[in-house]
Amino acid sequence: MGNEAIRQVAEKIKASNSVVVLTGAGISQESGVPTFRGKDGLWKDFRAEDLATPEAFHRDPVLVWEWYNWRRGLIKPLKPNPGHYALVELEKRIPDFTLVTQNVDGLHRAAGSKDPIEMHGTIWRVRCLECKRSFENREVPIKILPECEACGGLLRPDVVWFGESLDTKILHAIYTYLQRAEVMLVVGTSAIVQPAASFGIVAKRTAGAFVAELNRSRTHQSPVFDLSIQGKAGELLPQLVDYVRP
Ligand code: OAD
């Protein structure tokens, strides 16, 4: 596989008008961001699933903010890696290009991606539980407990937690792009958390898209896709861009 498979994806991209890329924690792994489902993702023996919930925040907002302060501190000095930059290059070459990320680390924007759809929100924004306004906030550490500058209400991270629904406008936009995708790349995601886990399958079934998975390991979805290419996103994506370049 390796390069030949990447070359095949590049040929499909060159022949297509519409490309959608879905990224997960794997694309930021080479920047130093811990993935969710590895042991590195743990904080004081808590799993993300135990802290990233509205119930956890209601029960113990200090604990949840301490965890976000740990994550903000960890991510703040990190830089995008060649995988992020390769997607910026790809975007320049494809007129109808959509980047959807499950990541909340902000690294696609930092790399220069124009308008990534951050479907799970971003840790660099906070939202007021009272007046619902949302603000950019890059303080590390953030003052615990943070208060809304407009109304004094309690602020929470502006991210989507387990058990919460995605913004319907965002979801609607994503499905519109998936339904016209000719090629889709599914990069560095374990494809366990819905609805993102179904996007590759939606693109394949509804749009007949050619779907390629790029992941360090095989996933439970690998057999469903047209190609499953094993390797690091930070190496495979730059190779892909080299083949796509005229
Ligand atoms: P996971 O941690 O579940 O999966 C990361 C995937 O990346 C795995 O399949 C790894 O094999 C792969 N991987 C690791 N390093 C890689 C590399 N250098 N190059 C390519 N692939 C690599 O993360 P997600 O699938 O993104 O949700 O998790 C999805 C959602 O679950 C997250 O957005 C978050 C989490 O709970 C919310 O916060 C709502």
Side-chain angles (χ1 to χ4, degrees), residues 32-208:
V33 182
T35 56
F36 286 93
R37 289 174 178 79
K39 58 177 175 9
D40 301 344
L42 291 178
W43 175 73
K44 296 185 183 173
D45 290 337
F46 288 102
R47 295 177 314 144
E49 289 90 331
D50 298 331
L51 293 162
T53 69
E55 294 76 24
F57 193 70
H58 183 71
R59 202 168 44 237
D60 195 344
V62 171
L63 176 75
V64 173
W65 265 120
E66 282 174 350
W67 179 57
Y68 276 95
N69 261 342
W70 171 72
R71 291 184 68 198
R72 286 159 73 104
L74 195 140
I75 292 166
K76 190 155 190 184
L78 302 182
K79 302 273 180 286
N81 67 59
H84 296 104
Y85 290 116
L87 292 178
V88 178
E89 286 304 307
L90 214 52
E91 179 175 38
K92 287 182 194 156
R93 285 175 170 72
I94 301 154
D96 184 5
F97 177 91
T98 307
L99 174 58
V100 182
T101 187
Q102 300 168 83
N103 300 343
V104 296
D105 54 35
L107 290 176
H108 284 301
R109 276 186 203 281
S113 281
K114 275 211 202 84
D115 207 5
I117 300 179
E118 293 170 314
M119 60 177 286
H120 290 163
T122 164
I123 55 164
W124 303 117
R125 292 190 75 82
V126 292
R127 189 169 80 233
C128 178
L129 287 182
E130 303 301 324
C131 71
K132 315 293 179 212
R133 263 182 264 192
S134 111
F135 310 90
E136 182 170 335
N137 180 306
R138 291 181 176 266
E139 286 162 39
V140 178
I142 198 167
K143 183 200 116 205
I144 292 176
L145 289 165
E147 287 163 9
C148 174
E149 55 198 65
C151 77
L154 177 61
L155 293 171
R156 59 164 279 179
D158 197 5
V159 297
V160 179
W161 281 332
F162 288 99
E164 293 185 317
S165 326
L166 259 62
D167 183 300
T168 47
K169 271 201 218 120
I170 291 182
L171 209 49
H172 186 261
I174 294 172
Y175 282 113
T176 306
Y177 298 124
L178 292 174
Q179 279 158 12
R180 65 170 192 242
E182 292 174 28
V183 176
M184 176 161 179
L185 307 180
V186 177
V187 183
T189 174
S190 58
I192 286 172
V193 175
Q194 292 293 356
S198 65
F199 289 169
I201 292 163
V202 170
K204 199 166 168 44
R205 301 237 167 103
T206 63

Side-chain angles (χ1 to χ4, degrees), residues 2-4 6-7 10 86 229 232-245:
N3 285 0
E4 200 33 58
I6 287 289
R7 189 196 294 273
I229 305 171
K232 292 182 176 177
E235 293 171 6
L236 295 177
L237 287 169
Q239 284 173 26
L240 179 68
V241 170
D242 280 346
Y243 284 128
V244 170
R245 247 181 216 132

